[in-house]
Amino acid sequence: MEIEKYYFRLRQRYSHQGENQAFPVKMDELTDALGCTRRNAQLLLMRMSQMELLVWEPGRGRGHLSRLTFLGSHQDLVLELARRKVQEGRLNEALGLVDSLQDGHLAELFAAWLSSQFGVVPGGESIDILRFPFYREVPDLDPAGVIRRTEAHWIEQIFDPLCTYSAEEGRLVPGLAHAWESEDNGQIWRIHLRKGILFHHGRRMTAEDVKFTLERVRRFQPEDWMLSAIQRIQIQGKYELEVQFDRPMGLFMNVMASERYCIVPADLDEASFARNPIGTGPFKLTHNDSSMLVVQAHEHYFGTRPHLDRIEMWVWPNYQGIHTLQPQDPKAQLLYFEAQTLSGAKPHLQQLEQGSTYLTFNMKKPGVLQDAKFRQAVHSAIDRGKMIRELGEIRTRPSAGFFPYPGDSGCIQPALLEESRRLLSESSYQGETLWLYTYAMPSNEENAAWIQACCRSLGIQLAWRAFPIRELSEPERIKEADLILGGEVLGEQPDLTLINLYTSATSFVRGHLGSDVAVEVDACISRCIAESNAQLRIKELLKAEKLIRSSYNVLFLYHSVQTANYDGAFGGMSLNAWGKVRYKDVWIRRRK
């Protein structure tokens, strides 16, 4: 333990004593306050004296009192120690230190100082560093296992796919592959790679890396609808390979444009890759732990080099105390979602999210969950508009599906409590406690508590529990839950997002589908996968959505708004489908 912590303990024990005022004290009291032996207490007091934190005059002889004089402000001392930890990259230790002392005023002072560290930070001549807070760490940056939007966004900064989908142009554009072609109605695909592309660790990318990437993702997800259809992957040269399927696969290159299939090096270290990945992308990861994530511009990037030289995401758990951040801070700030809301800053970028928060019923479990009247009773009891008004923040509009349509709120009736009570009385519910699972996130936990209270008013006993997202996505955990509160954000290719939602073993929706509904949904997905026209694919997916909605297998709750606050010093700012800024395009106006 740092000497400053011991000093703080003494100041807490003798809080009534001012500075520069000597007072008598028993040595036994000092050992008790410091939590150590008499010998160690004496050594600690001597060190504090040498650091001029206090004056200690030991009592002469047994029974004589010592005299103690505090010289330094304990708050200033702890603040300085916490600041030093932050500057050394140990933000989590600094936050833990301040929290452990349980001093509200001290916590406010530290939060105010921490807030002042964000924004565009000068790093020398013409060096642009962007630093912003985020409410959690990001430990899982392996493209093969990505399941959260923040991870997917960072993966886009660190890696590249073979091609990318341009929503503006409505087509695929070259990436690591400069060309591709298909035969036999998409059953055989030939990919031609760019030459001279460097991974962040300096090795050139080849067809071996592309083959390794595909085989690696297939190893993690052998039942995937596309990967399971691969018959062979054959390298035909250092920069060319061929992929053959057992059926037509017209969506192959569309799928390869998604973040899950970003190309990874064949010589990666599996043990450390998720936390410290290596890609070919515009930014190279240099640091990633529970305190911060840091990336730097990839100087040898094959595309356009980023304007930003360095990005630092500081982990500020749940943004505790971030309200001290001044919206008019003269430094250029970038704040996402809750950070922007809690700080009181007004959003500069805002868009309605494609996707929805939803509630699933586990139709694979016997009992009351099989009762349509019970599920309909819960549906009728949830007043989506009231939920949005009471919980606020980014919750913005009742949803009737994953896509926000003009006038779709008309499909959502206000809560009909009398109808809900009638349906419940006619159902097979006998007062048993049901378990609602969700993944750990402040807004999810607020939603779960709200739904619990809503069900309680109806007479339904509902308990809830939040898990880490990776744990909740395990098929066994999905199977265990009675209900799951989740959400889906549609990516740049919403049809691919929804295909995965309806087919993946880690999907809450798929994991809770009833067998009859699953058969009909699978038929929609089969037609969707075989369809080359994107609009017709969406039409099939809307049929699947209608099936899960009309059966009350899934209750849609609300759409969110994506927001970001930033200063006028930023140029090139825009939000992607996940509501995150495209860092590669951001540049800074120099202020005089």
Side-chain angles (χ1 to χ4, degrees):
M1 185 186 297
E2 291 91 348
I3 196 70
E4 291 89 346
K5 282 190 175 181
Y6 286 109
Y7 181 71
F8 192 83
R9 282 186 176 183
L10 289 178
R11 292 304 307 262
Q12 284 183 308
R13 174 64 67 91
Y14 302 105
S15 58
H16 57 288
Q17 298 292 340
E19 294 169 16
N20 300 308
Q21 296 177 357
F23 61 94
V25 61
K26 294 180 180 179
M27 194 63 206
D28 288 344
E29 291 179 5
L30 293 175
T31 58
D32 181 61
L34 294 170
C36 58
T37 65
R38 186 182 185 92
R39 173 61 178 164
N40 285 338
Q42 291 171 337
L43 293 173
L44 287 170
L45 290 166
M46 290 171 63
R47 281 188 61 196
M48 292 181 206
S49 296
Q50 292 167 357
M51 294 173 65
E52 298 184 350
L53 299 176
L54 53 76
V55 174
W56 174 51
E57 303 171 61
R60 302 299 179 184
R62 183 174 296 275
H64 290 271
L65 297 177
S66 298
R67 290 178 63 80
L68 205 60
T69 305
F70 293 125
L71 301 178
S73 164
H74 64 288
Q75 288 187 337
D76 290 346
L77 191 68
V78 173
L79 280 175
E80 180 56 34
L81 176 59
R83 291 169 185 165
R84 192 161 68 243
K85 287 179 179 291
V86 170
Q87 290 158 357
E88 293 170 354
R90 298 185 292 163
L91 176 59
N92 59 331
E93 291 184 26
L95 291 166
L97 168 65
V98 174
D99 289 345
S100 69
L101 301 178
Q102 298 182 336
D103 185 315
H105 181 58
L106 178 66
E108 288 281 328
L109 291 173
F110 179 67
W113 175 83
L114 189 60
S115 296
S116 71
Q117 302 304 298
F118 298 116
V120 175
V121 183
E125 185 177 356
S126 300
I127 300 296
D128 291 322
I129 300 172
L130 172 62
R131 182 183 295 157
F132 64 91
F134 196 66
Y135 74 98
R136 65 175 176 87
E137 62 180 301
V138 184
D140 198 354
L141 294 173
D142 187 340
V146 59
I147 54 176
R148 298 192 76 168
R149 76 173 86 177
T150 296
E151 280 75 0
H153 177 55
W154 278 113
I155 284 169
E156 281 195 342
Q157 316 311 309
I158 299 167
F159 297 89
D160 288 302
L162 293 178
C163 58
T164 57
Y165 181 79
S166 170
E168 293 79 10
E169 301 175 56
R171 68 182 184 93
L172 296 172
V173 297
L176 297 180
H178 66 84
W180 52 89
E181 54 205 4
S182 65
E183 299 176 3
D184 296 342
N185 198 27
Q187 195 162 337
I188 297 175
W189 286 86
R190 193 168 291 108
I191 302 166
H192 306 276
L193 303 176
R194 296 181 191 271
K195 297 178 180 180
I197 292 177
L198 294 178
F199 284 107
H200 297 151
H201 63 350
R203 185 174 64 73
R204 292 184 185 277
M205 182 202 72
T206 70
E208 289 282 358
D209 299 299
V210 179
K211 180 181 180 183
F212 172 80
T213 298
L214 273 167
E215 291 177 339
R216 182 171 182 265
V217 180
R218 182 166 58 174
R219 190 167 70 248
F220 289 144
Q221 301 175 20
E223 303 302 321
D224 178 86
W225 62 273
M226 185 194 79
L227 297 171
S228 61
I230 293 177
Q231 284 188 320
R232 65 180 177 86
I233 304 171
Q234 183 174 354
I235 293 176
Q236 297 186 326
K238 194 169 184 179
Y239 299 104
E240 185 177 323
L241 72 160
E242 184 178 278
V243 182
Q244 182 173 339
F245 294 90
D246 62 10
R247 72 198 76 160
M249 194 60 65
L251 281 175
F252 174 58
M253 290 305 292
N254 291 76
V255 175
M256 295 305 292
S258 63
E259 65 281 352
R260 190 179 306 279
Y261 294 91
C262 284
I263 305 305
V264 303
D267 56 345
L268 63 79
D269 179 357
E270 291 285 359
S272 62
F273 191 71
R275 174 72 79 167
N276 298 292
I278 296 168
T280 62
F283 289 98
K284 173 183 178 180
L285 187 136
T286 60
H287 185 94
N288 185 21
D289 62 15
S290 58
S291 286
M292 62 182 63
L293 182 153
V294 180
V295 296
Q296 293 182 344
H298 180 22
E299 296 293 344
H300 302 289
Y301 186 54
F302 77 95
T304 304
R305 182 202 186 275
H307 303 291
L308 292 173
D309 299 287
R310 179 181 169 97
I311 303 172
E312 297 178 4
M313 185 196 81
W314 286 16
V315 180
W316 191 338
N318 296 329
Y319 300 125
Q320 186 173 355
I322 203 170
H323 61 275
T324 58
L325 184 68
Q326 296 301 312
Q328 302 304 319
D329 193 308
K331 288 168 53 173
Q333 298 281 357
L334 171 63
L335 301 175
Y336 284 118
F337 302 140
E338 291 91 345
Q340 169 253 311
T341 302
L342 293 170
S343 71
K346 300 297 182 184
H348 290 83
L349 289 175
Q350 186 168 319
Q351 65 187 23
L352 187 62
E353 185 174 272
Q354 297 277 314
S356 177
T357 299
Y358 59 80
L359 192 66
T360 67
F361 292 89
N362 190 349
M363 298 297 291
K364 291 183 169 64
K365 273 192 168 186
V368 69
L369 297 173
Q370 298 291 330
D371 192 327
K373 287 189 175 181
F374 173 78
R375 301 193 304 274
Q376 192 174 355
V378 176
H379 165 71
S380 298
I382 297 176
D383 188 330
R384 277 77 165 172
K386 183 179 180 183
M387 184 180 191
I388 291 168
R389 290 191 301 274
E390 292 185 353
L391 297 181
E393 295 181 353
I394 61 174
R395 305 169 183 88
T396 189
R397 179 170 157 183
S399 64
F402 291 110
F403 292 99
Y405 304 108
D408 67 352
S409 59
C411 301
I412 301 295
Q413 295 179 328
L416 304 172
L417 291 181
E418 290 305 316
E419 175 70 3
S420 298
R421 292 190 177 100
R422 181 188 66 79
L423 288 165
L424 187 65
S425 67
E426 294 174 1
S427 76
S428 57
Y429 181 67
Q430 297 295 319
E432 59 267 40
T433 296
L434 299 174
W435 276 94
L436 167 66
Y437 288 178
T438 190
Y439 51 90
M441 182 177 175
S443 59
N444 281 351
E445 292 164 32
E446 291 171 353
N447 289 341
W450 194 94
I451 292 170
Q452 180 188 46
C454 178
C455 287
R456 186 187 302 120
S457 68
L458 191 61
I460 298 173
Q461 302 302 312
L462 185 70
W464 65 272
R465 185 178 174 189
F467 296 86
I469 181 65
R470 183 65 63 187
E471 181 179 350
L472 185 59
S473 299
E474 291 292 332
E476 285 304 310
R477 188 65 76 189
I478 294 173
K479 182 180 178 181
E480 176 182 293
D482 295 312
L483 302 91
I484 290 182
L485 173 68
E488 192 68 33
V489 182
L490 307 186
E492 299 291 350
Q493 299 183 82
D495 49 348
L496 294 186
T497 305
L498 290 172
I499 289 171
N500 287 330
L501 178 88
Y502 290 122
T503 60
S504 173
T506 63
S507 163
F508 308 143
V509 171
R510 180 69 199 189
H512 280 186
L513 280 184
S515 56
D516 292 343
V517 174
V519 169
E520 295 185 70
V521 167
D522 286 347
C524 292
I525 299 304
S526 294
R527 294 191 294 270
C528 180
I529 292 171
E531 180 56 62
S532 59
N533 184 289
Q535 291 183 337
L536 294 179
R537 290 198 296 270
I538 293 295
K539 186 175 180 180
E540 289 296 334
L541 290 165
L542 290 177
K543 291 179 183 177
E545 180 180 279
K546 184 177 180 181
L547 287 167
I548 65 173
R549 180 176 59 241
S550 60
S551 64
Y552 302 101
N553 202 151
V554 176
L555 306 184
F556 293 98
L557 299 176
Y558 62 81
H559 301 295
S560 296
V561 64
Q562 299 169 340
T563 66
N565 170 270
Y566 67 95
D567 184 90
F570 287 105
M573 298 289 281
S574 63
L575 295 179
N576 63 15
W578 295 299
K580 304 292 187 180
V581 170
R582 297 178 173 92
Y583 296 132
K584 186 170 72 69
D585 300 329
V586 174
W587 56 279
I588 306 298
R589 296 180 177 90
R590 291 284 171 177
R591 286 169 164 162
K592 297 182 179 179

